[in-house]
Amino acid sequence: MSEIVRRVAERIRNLEIQGARNIAMAAISVLAEAAESSKARNREGFLRELLEAKEILFNTRETEPLMRNALRKILFEVKESRLTDPRELAGLVSSLSREFIKGLEASNRRIAEYGSKRIRSGYRVLTHCHSSTVVGILRRAREEGKDFEVLCTESRPRYQGRITARELLEEGIRTTMIVDSAVRNFMKTVDLVLVGADAITSEGNVVNKIGTSMIALVAYEARIPFYVASELLKFSPQTTYGEYEKIEERSGEEVWKDAPPGLIIRNPAFDVTRRDYIHGIICEEGIISPHTILEVVRRRYPWVLAVD
Amino acid sequence: MSEIVRRVAERIRNLEIQGARNIAMAAISVLAEAAESSKARNREGFLRELLEAKEILFNTRETEPLMRNALRKILFEVKESRLTDPRELAGLVSSLSREFIKGLEASNRRIAEYGSKRIRSGYRVLTHCHSSTVVGILRRAREEGKDFEVLCTESRPRYQGRITARELLEEGIRTTMIVDSAVRNFMKTVDLVLVGADAITSEGNVVNKIGTSMIALVAYEARIPFYVASELLKFSPQTTYGEYEKIEERSGEEVWKDAPPGLIIRNPAFDVTRRDYIHGIICEEGIISPHTILEVVRRRYPWVLAVD
Amino acid sequence: MSEIVRRVAERIRNLEIQGARNIAMAAISVLAEAAESSKARNREGFLRELLEAKEILFNTRETEPLMRNALRKILFEVKESRLTDPRELAGLVSSLSREFIKGLEASNRRIAEYGSKRIRSGYRVLTHCHSSTVVGILRRAREEGKDFEVLCTESRPRYQGRITARELLEEGIRTTMIVDSAVRNFMKTVDLVLVGADAITSEGNVVNKIGTSMIALVAYEARIPFYVASELLKFSPQTTYGEYEKIEERSGEEVWKDAPPGLIIRNPAFDVTRRDYIHGIICEEGIISPHTILEVVRRRYPWVLAVD
Amino acid sequence: MSEIVRRVAERIRNLEIQGARNIAMAAISVLAEAAESSKARNREGFLRELLEAKEILFNTRETEPLMRNALRKILFEVKESRLTDPRELAGLVSSLSREFIKGLEASNRRIAEYGSKRIRSGYRVLTHCHSSTVVGILRRAREEGKDFEVLCTESRPRYQGRITARELLEEGIRTTMIVDSAVRNFMKTVDLVLVGADAITSEGNVVNKIGTSMIALVAYEARIPFYVASELLKFSPQTTYGEYEKIEERSGEEVWKDAPPGLIIRNPAFDVTRRDYIHGIICEEGIISPHTILEVVRRRYPWVLAVD
Amino acid sequence: MSEIVRRVAERIRNLEIQGARNIAMAAISVLAEAAESSKARNREGFLRELLEAKEILFNTRETEPLMRNALRKILFEVKESRLTDPRELAGLVSSLSREFIKGLEASNRRIAEYGSKRIRSGYRVLTHCHSSTVVGILRRAREEGKDFEVLCTESRPRYQGRITARELLEEGIRTTMIVDSAVRNFMKTVDLVLVGADAITSEGNVVNKIGTSMIALVAYEARIPFYVASELLKFSPQTTYGEYEKIEERSGEEVWKDAPPGLIIRNPAFDVTRRDYIHGIICEEGIISPHTILEVVRRRYPWVLAVD
Amino acid sequence: MSEIVRRVAERIRNLEIQGARNIAMAAISVLAEAAESSKARNREGFLRELLEAKEILFNTRETEPLMRNALRKILFEVKESRLTDPRELAGLVSSLSREFIKGLEASNRRIAEYGSKRIRSGYRVLTHCHSSTVVGILRRAREEGKDFEVLCTESRPRYQGRITARELLEEGIRTTMIVDSAVRNFMKTVDLVLVGADAITSEGNVVNKIGTSMIALVAYEARIPFYVASELLKFSPQTTYGEYEKIEERSGEEVWKDAPPGLIIRNPAFDVTRRDYIHGIICEEGIISPHTILEVVRRRYPWVLAVD
């Protein structure tokens, strides 16, 4: 299977495929495709190939719990099944893959529905970076006829805030942009902060685009509600077992192309926001307290906590 | 006098002359020059011209208390004097101008001396934007043989952090740059925060480059000492009498040149840091508690509080 | 069924029936009564009538989760049952109604038992407004021979604190009354704050009589334990799905009868206390952390979360 | 002198004369009147009578630093003078009294001028109880054409908020009233809190109408600026020397006329707001940090700190 | 059974057996031994003896939830079983006892494994008092080749910090000792705080050696992660039902042997750390938020919550 | 002069003379003695000897601002005087020395008087370590007939709390001792915290016995007033000019005599309490806000700020 998988893995690594949901879908789609093309002669051979493929995909990026959980789900069900015929196993992978994608879409719709209820006409909503989940909520609120506006940061060094701005303007949402460091200056004019998540830890902390934790602190200082919109499957199970969620550090060139020699540039892609600064996580089950994330995942997706 | 003055005023307005100290020195130098060239025939005429010149210079920029206080000082002393001969008055303006500049230089040396004592070998000092006063302290600490490093922000939208980085690298100081929103991520590795000031209010709050108040909050959250290095004459006397210090708002193009139509961009140049987040103001009198700034100014520079 | 139900609904709307528990009991009693008198010929007809009755009762007041959950329980069980005979269905409604009331009484006894253990002889307990659950705890503590005193607020605008004071004096409990705004002045003399709840949200926040959130903040500032005594069924399931709990706003006349023309009076009946300010919720399961309310309800009363 | 003085003292004690400024003016006016009518034959006799009169006035109310400071000023100057003729001494008392009143009026005008600058069009200002100094600021802001609104509490138990509401409505200011305990609920809609003061301590704390400290805490929690408008002469010098400012406790009947027997009612008139919750004191010198009040008084009114 | 049990109970009471785990293991071992030697002729007789033995062991110490939960487990299973033959019942007790001890050992290994992942090379870990669970984590981290150091308090009055120091030095871990009150002075140099637990309450608070709550507060002030390492079975079920966890108070002689007559010495052995100051509890299930402890115990060890 | 001075310097260094006030008095007494025995023939010679003596005394201990300020005062006045005759100069030194000691005694009496007013009957006052200034306040309060009690820490490693306890018991004050780490456990029962100071910095921070800053934080968390009793001359002028106050680190043997080899022991004698945690400094001028200490010293003892 590995050749087919490797091609997609490469595209994930090169950022040709971006966004947690897109990456997860690409990974399990290619896994299904690879499974179909497997030449394995028995269950053992098939499983071996599947695990290999999983490893390749796991190694593309450090902070991709959604993709990893998607792969975990498929592996878990395949192992649980008693099937021995590689054909039938491949069929199982395919159907699990389709089902998972459908599940993601349903989660997304529900998050948009629940999140939209938090937005009232007249509100100013602050967001950071670009999150398709957050844009989904704002779009839905707009479709429901709510009259609100959005304040978005530019999100250095890659300016993802510009993508957010463009998408919101297309929806006809009144949008204002500020530099990242101006957030405290405008916080008092904000009614709600809404950000996405790259990963959620067992303690209920949220890993998201660098700057998020600073915004959360500023919102907390001014008593402004701070919500994270995220599928539960952004949960990172290894954190339960003590590991620190890894924080990708990117090239300094993103920050300053022609930096003078000798200058060190540090460019972490994410930071960690403590549960105490988060009012709620808007997920497919509704709005939950971040403190309970581990119990919620354990109840709803128990296979996530099975060891890899 | 006004033609001569107008030319310099124009250069201040156009940012050809930058930095609070440079602007203040340019303003009083040109005032002295203009005074020398005055054609006034008596005290009244001379004073009228002087006031006109002052008004032109006052109107160049909104947040320039150092320049304004420099002009206030000269006006104050001229009014106090009993001189009637325009020649003698012009001489007084010249000598006051020279004296003021000497005073500024002395203040600056003292701030570097006192501030440098706060830096210990092994420290990591965080700074924001570009402040020649802060660079002066760091340079002095380096000259005294201290082995420390500096973390500086890029300071969007105008990247003044790059100027800081270049100047520090020239001094042989180990320097690291981060994006503005990464400050909280690195705060725990910092021993001291050191920033400059554009203005200080009667309550002891500090107006400085946008983002400063956010950094102060983050330092406060992590119990890291936060110091402001500034001449006392950055004090803004109108705030004593109730006025809010004006915050210049600059063009949105600085943030995003080719912003899509419809996008609003807000670009305030400064924000306000509360006295509660400031450990001390390092000034020409030493390290003072920001809460007492008004009393300190009233004692040392009482003429600052005379009405314009 | 609707006529019978409407009469009781009217009395609820007119405040002739007051107190969350009284309202819930009245609502399900009348539902049982109406069910018995139903003329429906089949399951479908019966269900239609039942739903209609439920709607009428739901619409009497905005913040009555206990009543709504009581009705939800009955509707849920009726739908789950396979019964087709309207007679048998009516019987089911009756027995569910009786059972629910018994359950409420048992919950109440347990809350009194558990809450009473938090009160030690020598304590001064602060309470706000009137809550029969809180009075139940205090009465029980008194019956157990504990020697403590109570500080109660007057609870403007309707002075429900006076009801509390009368009831406590009848129990022989030493009672002191203060105006609402004096709470901070007396907080240092308090050992425990104990209030009731009108509703609890999925994030673990508590909706209660206006002023509660201020008292909670003051208790938090002085490190005084703040407990909420409430049945779990005050939980408001819609908040899980994003809705804000509605806050009833009452007539300005309650505040000032002869207010001068032109004066606007705002008179919200409740406010929201953040989970961070609440030490624990004393409920029928014992003392729980408010953060987990959603998981607790989901485990113990899963039907509450079924969509209406 | 004492008979004349006693009559006015009685009216102060009976609340016939109210408001710190009115009381201070009444006290020194009657002192002047009494001095004029003195039958003393020499300096010693005159001084003895004057001290007696002072004592009578001091004993009318516990928390009246403005009146006490007014009397202190006159006593201080009389003692400092070398006059021996009772006639001349009486003249001195009269002129000091007139001067003091003029000074108060000037202070008041300046406070209105400075405070008004803090109010911007579009603001919602929260105030508590009734303070003529605060109303003076609001009136001035209105006269300057600013378009703002005011939120005022009812201020139990004596409803002084109603006086504030009437006065503001007369000025054509849009005014909303809430019960005292609703302050936290509305704090997020507020731009500025403005209250008066009954006394200021040497640490910079402010004694004001019961409830003020709670509002200050709520403002602090939400990062809303909290200002106290007060003449510097509300400073209470004994607090410098360790004494606690006395807090008048009023009759329980003000809270509940027909309280049931056995109920204790506590009714303190004031509470203490910590300097940390106060952005600034708006006084005749401008806006000062509360932390420096003792130094400011010592510089400007050194006689206040002379022992009685 | 009681004689045998009494001997061990005495040794527990006399501190001959120390440490929560040792005590629990001694208690259930002796229970098994006593069960084997039981002369009971039927189930009823056996149960009576067993309950008696449990009571004796329960009464040895006030704060020993682990031992109590161990005994609860055995009692619960015995009652649940349908066995009637005292021989078979004794066999059940023995096998439950062995199983429980194995479970404890497994928990301990997992806690060491998970906790060790939180320690990075270069870290300085602060611990307080002596906890074999914490030492287990540190030992494991050392075995994994991590290069870190430990800061430990002396832990007055019984200097258990010295035991910790000796054990760590034996492992070759760089160890520094400070007096208890110096914790705040060194907190900024610390990367992680790690303590054990004597009991955990239903609200998620942790009862541990006196001083722990102070260290937690200091860590919180400086944003340093604070973790508690503990088996879930340190959970104290009575706290769920309202009881305060009892805090043992020991002899004043431990503090000052030759105290002057008249001096009162208070010597509580433990204090309570609020859940808000705890980042996570490292337990056999991984790292959990303390807020959810009750739900976790209810799910994993439901028998703990059965009434005694 | 130096021989005589050296002997006393040695005794100060060896802790034979202890307590800031005793040390200061010993230092200036011996200076006076040495001055009397000077063989200098002219002003220059005398001054040289005096400076030498000052240096010897300055070098005895790192944190002794009171002694240093005493010596500064004498040097300052001698330099200011125009005297040339060594005899007359020696006389001046003697009389300055006597005057300074008298001043200290007067300060002490005033501090006792002002501090005592903060203690009400029924209070429980917490103190830390041993401070003769604090004991002076407590003694005075007792003499004034106040009925209060004191909670004192043992103050490891040197148990100075035992000295405090003995002295208070001798005064008949009800006294309770706890270990240092139990402070948080008892804070809620405390009405007032009162500690001494070893040094005060220009920012208003207080250097005092290790543990003080932790107690201050705990008091702040629980809203308990925290006061520092200290002469203004504990002010350390070098901190104004940027220097960190030096913190003496003492031998590890004080902490653990027979520590195992390899164990590092850190034993700083003092820590630093931030001004934000201090309600007031009780000094000879009354109760001042710590924020203003520099201005107060500059006004009252301007010579302290003259460069050494």
Side-chain angles (χ1 to χ4, degrees), chain F residues 12-299:
Chain F
I12 294 173
R13 191 176 292 108
N14 296 343
L15 301 177
E16 284 172 59
I17 304 170
Q18 279 198 50
R21 204 173 304 124
N22 292 336
I23 289 170
M25 294 199 298
I28 55 176
S29 299
V30 79
L31 195 76
E33 193 190 334
E36 296 287 357
S37 71
S38 165
K39 302 274 185 308
R41 293 216 236 137
N42 52 22
R43 181 177 162 94
E44 287 66 41
F46 185 86
L47 274 180
R48 211 179 314 109
E49 286 188 49
L50 208 63
L51 278 166
E52 214 178 289
K54 189 205 80 167
E55 279 311 305
I56 293 165
L57 291 162
F58 262 48
N59 289 328
T60 48
R61 291 240 191 107
E62 284 193 335
T63 320
E64 286 299 343
L66 185 60
M67 175 190 73
R68 293 181 179 211
N69 286 332
L71 297 167
R72 272 182 194 111
K73 171 65 177 170
I74 291 170
L75 265 292
F76 177 86
E77 296 292 350
V78 166
K79 282 180 191 166
E80 288 284 293
S81 84
R82 298 291 158 108
L83 301 177
T84 51
D85 177 354
R87 279 308 69 215
E88 287 180 281
L89 281 162
L92 178 60
V93 170
S94 283
S95 70
L96 286 167
S97 171
R98 281 193 304 274
E99 213 178 277
F100 194 91
I101 290 172
K102 260 193 222 157
L104 274 187
E105 284 161 356
S107 292
N108 222 20
R109 274 194 308 276
R110 277 200 214 101
I111 293 173
E113 180 194 338
Y114 305 153
S116 162
K117 294 219 186 91
R118 290 273 122 177
I119 298 171
R120 289 172 162 155
S121 278
Y123 264 27
R124 172 178 264 196
V125 179
L126 171 67
T127 190
H128 181 54
C129 197
H130 177 262
S131 151
S132 58
T133 315
V134 168
V135 171
I137 290 174
L138 297 169
R139 188 178 286 129
R140 166 99 189 216
R142 181 71 180 143
E143 287 164 8
E144 288 169 354
K146 289 179 184 168
D147 182 23
F148 61 97
E149 60 174 308
V150 175
L151 187 66
C152 67
T153 59
E154 58 172 10
S155 309
R156 283 281 297 158
R158 288 172 64 85
Y159 298 111
Q160 292 99 325
R162 296 182 178 180
I163 307 172
T164 304
R166 284 192 203 279
E167 291 183 8
L168 296 178
L169 288 170
E170 269 165 34
E171 300 295 328
I173 297 170
R174 184 180 159 88
T175 305
T176 302
M177 177 171 281
I178 54 174
V179 295
D180 302 327
S181 73
V183 162
R184 192 169 179 276
N185 202 59
F186 288 92
M187 189 52 85
K188 274 194 201 169
T189 70
V190 166
D191 298 287
L192 190 80
V193 184
L194 203 56
V195 299
D198 285 277
I200 308 176
T201 77
S202 80
E203 293 173 30
N205 302 332
V206 167
V207 177
N208 195 42
K209 171 74 185 176
I210 190 79
T212 303
S213 77
M214 201 143 143
I215 294 172
L217 171 64
V218 171
Y220 184 81
E221 186 205 17
R223 234 190 89 199
I224 305 301
F226 180 98
Y227 285 92
V228 172
S230 169
E231 300 91 347
L232 286 169
L233 287 172
K234 295 271 183 73
F235 179 80
S236 170
Q238 313 95 290
T239 60
T240 313
Y241 306 121
E243 280 184 28
Y244 288 100
E245 187 62 26
K246 292 212 186 69
I247 301 291
E248 185 187 350
E249 180 138 4
R250 304 176 58 85
S251 159
E253 294 215 342
E254 283 185 2
V255 178
W256 192 359
K257 233 188 184 145
D258 316 304
L263 181 67
I264 303 157
I265 300 179
R266 295 290 311 273
N267 185 22
F270 310 109
D271 64 15
V272 182
T273 300
R274 290 281 312 151
R275 62 175 181 241
D276 306 306
Y277 296 163
I278 301 170
H279 278 228
I281 296 177
I282 306 174
C283 67
E284 62 266 39
E285 283 212 344
I287 302 188
I288 66 168
S289 175
H291 307 68
T292 60
I293 185 84
L294 177 55
E295 283 303 290
V296 173
V297 167
R298 207 182 274 283
R299 174 174 47 70

Side-chain angles (χ1 to χ4, degrees), chain A residues 202-205 220 238-245 274-277 291-295 298, chain E residues 114 117-120 123 192 227 275 278-280 285-292 295-296 299:
Chain A
S202 80
E203 293 173 29
N205 302 333
Y220 184 80
Q238 314 96 287
T239 59
T240 313
Y241 306 122
E243 280 184 27
Y244 287 99
E245 186 62 25
R274 292 279 314 150
R275 62 174 181 240
D276 306 307
Y277 295 163
H291 307 68
T292 61
I293 185 84
L294 177 55
E295 283 303 291
R298 208 181 274 282
Chain E
Y114 305 152
K117 294 219 186 90
R118 291 274 121 176
I119 298 171
R120 288 171 162 154
Y123 265 27
L192 191 80
Y227 286 93
R275 62 174 182 241
I278 302 171
H279 278 227
E285 283 212 345
I287 303 188
I288 66 167
S289 175
H291 307 68
T292 61
E295 283 305 288
V296 173
R299 173 173 48 69

Side-chain angles (χ1 to χ4, degrees), chain B:
Chain B
M1 300 181 191
S2 22
E3 294 85 286
I4 306 175
V5 165
R6 261 196 197 100
R7 256 174 293 136
V8 170
E10 201 47 39
R11 294 180 56 215
I12 294 173
R13 190 176 292 110
N14 296 343
L15 303 177
E16 284 172 60
I17 304 171
Q18 281 197 49
R21 203 173 305 124
N22 293 335
I23 289 171
M25 294 198 299
I28 55 175
S29 298
V30 79
L31 194 75
E33 193 191 333
E36 298 287 358
S37 72
S38 165
K39 301 275 186 309
R41 292 213 236 140
N42 51 22
R43 183 175 162 94
E44 287 66 41
F46 185 85
L47 274 180
R48 211 179 314 111
E49 285 187 50
L50 208 62
L51 278 166
E52 212 178 289
K54 189 204 80 165
E55 279 310 306
I56 293 166
L57 291 162
F58 261 48
N59 289 328
T60 49
R61 292 239 191 108
E62 285 193 336
T63 319
E64 286 299 344
L66 185 60
M67 174 189 74
R68 293 181 179 210
N69 286 332
L71 296 168
R72 273 182 192 111
K73 170 66 176 171
I74 290 170
L75 264 291
F76 178 84
E77 295 293 348
V78 167
K79 283 181 190 163
E80 289 285 294
S81 85
R82 298 290 158 111
L83 300 177
T84 52
D85 178 353
R87 280 304 74 215
E88 288 180 279
L89 282 162
L92 177 61
V93 169
S94 284
S95 71
L96 286 167
S97 171
R98 280 193 303 275
E99 214 179 276
F100 194 92
I101 290 173
K102 262 193 221 158
L104 273 187
E105 284 160 357
S107 291
N108 222 21
R109 273 194 307 277
R110 277 199 215 101
I111 293 172
E113 181 194 336
Y114 305 152
S116 163
K117 293 217 185 91
R118 291 275 121 177
I119 298 172
R120 287 172 163 155
S121 278
Y123 264 27
R124 172 178 264 195
V125 179
L126 170 68
T127 190
H128 181 55
C129 198
H130 177 262
S131 151
S132 58
T133 314
V134 168
V135 171
I137 290 174
L138 297 170
R139 188 178 287 131
R140 166 100 188 215
R142 182 69 180 145
E143 286 165 8
E144 288 168 355
K146 287 176 185 170
D147 182 22
F148 61 97
E149 59 174 309
V150 175
L151 186 67
C152 68
T153 60
E154 58 172 11
S155 309
R156 283 281 296 160
R158 290 172 63 84
Y159 298 112
Q160 292 100 322
R162 296 182 178 178
I163 308 173
T164 303
R166 285 191 202 280
E167 290 183 9
L168 296 178
L169 289 169
E170 269 164 35
E171 300 295 327
I173 297 169
R174 185 180 157 87
T175 306
T176 302
M177 177 171 281
I178 55 174
V179 295
D180 303 327
S181 73
V183 163
R184 191 169 179 275
N185 202 60
F186 289 92
M187 190 52 84
K188 274 193 201 170
T189 70
V190 166
D191 299 286
L192 190 80
V193 185
L194 204 54
V195 300
D198 286 277
I200 308 176
T201 76
S202 79
E203 293 173 30
N205 302 332
V206 167
V207 177
N208 195 43
K209 172 74 186 177
I210 190 81
T212 302
S213 76
M214 201 143 144
I215 294 172
L217 172 63
V218 170
Y220 185 81
E221 185 205 17
R223 234 190 89 199
I224 305 302
F226 181 98
Y227 286 92
V228 173
S230 169
E231 301 91 346
L232 286 170
L233 288 172
K234 295 270 183 75
F235 179 80
S236 170
Q238 313 95 290
T239 60
T240 313
Y241 306 121
E243 279 183 28
Y244 287 99
E245 186 61 26
K246 292 212 185 71
I247 302 292
E248 185 187 350
E249 181 139 3
R250 303 176 58 85
S251 158
E253 295 216 342
E254 283 186 2
V255 178
W256 193 358
K257 232 186 183 149
D258 316 304
L263 181 67
I264 304 157
I265 299 178
R266 295 291 308 273
N267 185 22
F270 311 108
D271 64 17
V272 182
T273 300
R274 290 283 311 153
R275 63 175 181 241
D276 307 306
Y277 295 162
I278 301 170
H279 278 227
I281 297 176
I282 306 173
C283 66
E284 61 266 40
E285 284 212 345
I287 303 188
I288 65 167
S289 175
H291 307 68
T292 60
I293 186 83
L294 177 55
E295 283 304 291
V296 173
V297 167
R298 208 182 274 282
R299 174 173 48 68
R300 191 175 175 114
Y301 305 113
W303 46 267
V304 165
L305 285 147
V307 195
D308 288 335

